[in-house]
Amino acid sequence: MPALQLSDAVARIKPSATIAAATKAAELKAQGVSVLSFTLGEPDFDTPAHICEAATQAMAEGHTHYTPAGGTVELKEAICRAYARDYGLEYTPANVVCSNGAKHSIHNVLAALCGPGDEVVIPTPYWVSYADLVELTGAKAVLVETTEASGWVLAPEQLREAVTPATKLVMLNSPTNPTGAVYPVETLKALGEVIVEKDLWCLTDEIYEKLIYPGYEFAPFAGFGDEVKARTIVVSGVSKAYAMTGWRMGWAISPDPALAKAMTKLQSQETSCPSSVTQKATIAALDGPQDCVAEMLSAFTARRTFVLEKLAGLPDVTYAEPGGAFYAFFNVAAHFGKPLGSSGRSVENATDFCTQLLEDAQIALVTGDAFGAPGYVRMSYATDLETLGAGFEKLGAFFARE
């Protein structure tokens, strides 16, 4: 057997921390350990019935074969209708590329636009895959720190200072993963002005766009005028709003059809096309009744209220209120160097905190180290109130060891 030498590209990237945490929790469960896992950003609801019925009908009608690499015209038209209906944004099917989830769409955008010598500006905390997907292209991820005090929002002046002659792209995410922050409309408008001034591309990840809580407002980045729209590549999908994580359907909307063609060419060599059955189901999701989204948001709203009340009762824990998505992102650094849990051991960072929490209390969270935010941990509250209540009871006891 020849000596194994992995490529430089693969060597540069790390495993997904969220998936790794979920895998560890699943392994313990398989061993008979009762684990409360709050790791994955996955709605716990079933996919709405009318969407599943559309998939069943598609299979019965023989829609089980290859489609065009970037998705069917029928699906692209449905996506265009949704953006016109919901946001007043006009696109054509030539602007749209449908892929195997929004993560795949992000990869396509980066691989089509970026390469060695390019820089990509990413506000921190950031979703675990952003920087690694940038590094995979040979480009450099330029991380710009935001803070809990700012509500985890990138300021326009921070962006302006981070831009260099090598800057090719800015990545924005609102509502954000892992913090749940929703960027204020005026801030997004000001960020758009910087992007136009510096003549940059912007990839805006809007996968949580439908999960917005009372008092907050979602504003599509491409909606801030023609000059901003001409530089904005929108990435989204059906995973979060329609509880369709396993169906694997995301899309990128490019203002330039030439970029869409480039992404389609790339995809044709990587995955051929998205699932034909999922494409039919996605049309049903976008064109069908939207009350299912409102019902799930109502449940998430109740869970958010519960989680914020419980967080307020934890000792020496700070956080910024999430305005969207379904994550609580909180600072546990005050507990470093102190005895914790049944073992009474101390920890020095968030990664070790999560490891000890899993071992001592059988609670799985994700370390903020993976998101570029040392001292913080992420809890997904995409689960029922009973499970959340049990989790906070154990978490409180874990801290009480002090």
Side-chain angles (χ1 to χ4, degrees):
M1 179 182 295
L4 178 62
Q5 185 172 354
L6 299 176
S7 70
D8 290 341
V10 170
R12 282 196 298 267
I13 64 174
K14 302 177 292 296
S16 167
T18 52
I19 294 176
T23 300
K24 179 64 175 176
E27 289 172 352
L28 288 174
K29 286 182 179 180
Q31 296 168 16
V33 179
S34 178
V35 176
L36 299 176
S37 183
F38 305 102
T39 55
L40 289 179
E42 178 173 46
D44 59 317
F45 305 103
D46 291 332
T47 302
H50 70 281
I51 299 172
C52 295
E53 289 165 5
T56 301
Q57 182 178 347
M59 288 185 282
E61 293 175 354
H63 297 289
T64 56
H65 303 280
Y66 290 130
T67 73
T72 63
V73 171
E74 181 186 16
L75 173 56
K76 293 179 181 183
E77 288 175 340
I79 292 168
C80 292
R81 283 195 298 274
Y83 277 82
R85 175 194 69 212
D86 296 342
Y87 308 124
L89 292 171
E90 298 294 334
Y91 293 104
T92 71
N95 300 110
V96 182
V97 182
C98 303
S99 305
N100 298 281
K103 183 186 291 191
H104 187 194
S105 297
I106 292 168
H107 164 72
N108 284 345
V109 174
L110 293 170
L113 273 182
C114 302
D118 292 330
E119 293 180 352
V120 177
V121 175
I122 303 174
T124 69
Y126 58 90
W127 183 45
V128 294
S129 294
Y130 286 166
D132 284 299
L133 290 175
V134 169
E135 297 288 342
L136 196 58
T137 71
K140 177 185 177 182
V142 176
L143 305 180
V144 181
E145 182 180 355
T146 70
T147 65
E148 180 185 317
S150 74
W152 303 117
V153 169
L154 177 70
E157 54 271 22
Q158 286 182 288
L159 175 57
R160 185 175 282 106
E161 291 173 3
V163 173
T164 74
T167 305
K168 185 72 170 288
L169 177 74
V170 179
M171 296 180 72
L172 296 178
N173 176 212
S174 178
T176 68
N177 178 2
T179 68
V182 175
Y183 272 65
V185 174
E186 288 305 312
T187 301
L188 286 175
K189 181 179 179 182
L191 289 170
E193 291 170 355
V194 176
I195 284 168
V196 171
E197 172 194 329
K198 299 294 184 180
D199 197 21
L200 304 173
W201 288 99
C202 179
L203 187 165
T204 175
D205 178 357
E206 298 178 352
I207 191 69
Y208 296 97
E209 63 196 273
K210 302 295 184 185
L211 302 180
I212 305 291
Y213 298 114
Y216 294 87
E217 177 184 357
F218 171 75
F221 196 67
F224 289 98
D226 291 342
E227 288 190 300
V228 174
K229 183 182 178 186
R231 293 166 172 81
T232 299
I233 305 148
V234 181
V235 170
S236 193
V238 292
S239 292
K240 313 300 182 180
Y242 299 95
M244 293 177 68
T245 53
W247 295 77
R248 309 314 302 136
M249 175 54 62
W251 54 78
I253 307 177
S254 165
D256 188 340
L259 176 56
K261 283 185 178 180
M263 289 189 284
T264 301
K265 179 175 69 172
L266 174 66
Q267 186 162 292
S268 73
Q269 295 290 6
E270 290 184 326
T271 61
S272 295
C273 65
S275 161
S276 57
V277 174
T278 295
Q279 291 187 61
K280 288 290 188 179
T282 299
I283 294 169
L286 296 175
D287 283 347
Q290 301 298 300
D291 54 331
C292 56
V293 179
E295 290 168 4
M296 286 187 275
L297 177 58
S298 177
F300 283 132
T301 302
R303 295 170 183 181
R304 171 181 175 271
T305 299
F306 179 84
V307 165
L308 292 181
E309 289 175 352
K310 293 297 183 180
L311 280 177
L314 292 178
D316 300 318
V317 164
T318 64
Y319 57 90
E321 181 180 279
F326 36 66
Y327 304 113
F329 197 64
F330 51 100
N331 191 338
V332 295
H335 296 275
F336 296 168
K338 299 177 181 179
L340 292 169
S342 58
S343 67
R345 298 193 309 270
S346 64
V347 301
E348 300 302 326
N349 56 61
T351 299
D352 290 345
F353 177 92
C354 288
T355 298
Q356 188 164 325
L357 182 65
L358 182 59
E359 292 174 353
D360 284 13
Q362 294 75 55
I363 298 175
L365 304 179
V366 184
T367 172
D369 294 330
F371 300 107
Y376 287 80
V377 295
R378 190 194 78 172
M379 168 185 278
S380 169
Y381 51 86
T383 190
D384 60 89
L385 289 173
E386 182 180 356
T387 301
L388 287 167
F392 274 103
E393 183 175 348
K394 285 192 166 188
L395 190 56
F398 182 76
F399 286 133
R401 177 62 176 77
E402 297 180 36

